Amino acid sequence: MTDSVILDVWCELQCPDCHSALDDVRALRARYGDRLDIRLRYFPLEKHKHAFAAAQAAEEALEQGQAWPYTEAVLARTAELAERGEPVLLDVARELGLDVEEFDTALIDGRHILIVDADQAEGKAIGVTGTPTYVIDGQRLDGGKSQEGLRARIEEIADRLLAG
């Protein structure tokens, strides 16, 4: 029996599909609590010009202890992010009471670029082509085309692993 299971969620913060996937992520978090370690992984897509900056901003939010609240807040504003770009990332940080100057500096000095690049490279290496994509127990579940049935599949795998 294992104490916890890792679920990697390959996400892109300008992606409307990732926004709709949040309900599943919330439900999984509610069902499993600490037994499911949900890790945010970045996979910015070239078609979304602010996704790379958004991934860096989410990493800064992680450093400030607010990764998921920040991610959820940005995903709720994908259309606005597409339209207005980086100011939206700073607005969200401000609304969450985070250190906005630190966000601004992080986006300028690129301190989180290597993490985002590494996630993207790893994602490509394991066959991630779109977002959201989930990886649990070495199995890749592609949510980019359809979310249908994915949460049930994740629960099935997690239950099996947790039961040992």
Side-chain angles (χ1 to χ4, degrees):
M1 191 174 125
T2 180
D3 290 341
S4 72
V5 173
I6 293 171
L7 173 67
D8 282 334
V9 180
W10 297 85
C11 181
E12 200 249 53
L13 286 128
Q14 203 180 321
C15 167
D17 289 334
C18 287
H19 180 244
S20 55
L22 278 177
D23 287 341
D24 285 338
V25 172
R26 286 188 196 107
L28 289 165
R29 196 181 288 133
R31 176 171 175 173
Y32 294 101
D34 292 343
R35 294 178 309 143
L36 187 65
D37 180 10
I38 301 175
R39 298 191 308 192
L40 183 63
R41 306 298 299 273
Y42 309 109
F43 199 77
L45 302 168
E46 282 176 22
K47 66 181 177 181
H48 293 140
K49 66 178 182 182
H50 304 296
F52 196 82
Q56 293 176 69
E59 191 60 24
E60 180 57 35
L62 174 68
E63 289 213 344
Q64 295 189 30
Q66 294 284 325
W68 280 105
Y70 185 83
T71 298
E72 292 191 17
V74 172
L75 282 170
R77 296 162 78 164
T78 54
E80 189 185 351
L81 178 60
E83 201 175 292
R84 290 183 48 230
E86 290 185 21
V88 174
L89 301 174
L90 301 176
D91 289 349
V92 171
R94 189 173 298 109
E95 287 158 19
L96 290 173
L98 299 172
D99 184 339
V100 179
E101 277 182 36
E102 206 54 45
F103 266 82
D104 201 29
T105 305
L107 289 171
I108 293 165
D109 72 17
R111 68 182 73 157
H112 302 301
I113 285 176
L114 289 176
I115 290 170
V116 177
D117 279 346
D119 269 7
Q120 198 167 31
E122 186 183 330
K124 283 180 179 159
I126 63 168
V128 175
T129 55
T131 55
T133 296
Y134 306 92
V135 177
I136 183 168
D137 193 33
Q139 293 186 55
R140 191 180 76 239
L141 306 169
D142 183 0
K145 308 241 182 316
S146 166
Q147 301 288 317
E148 197 155 330
L150 281 185
R151 187 168 91 208
R153 185 78 190 103
I154 291 167
E155 289 173 350
E156 192 181 299
I157 296 168
D159 288 345
R160 177 174 48 78
L161 292 170
L162 289 166

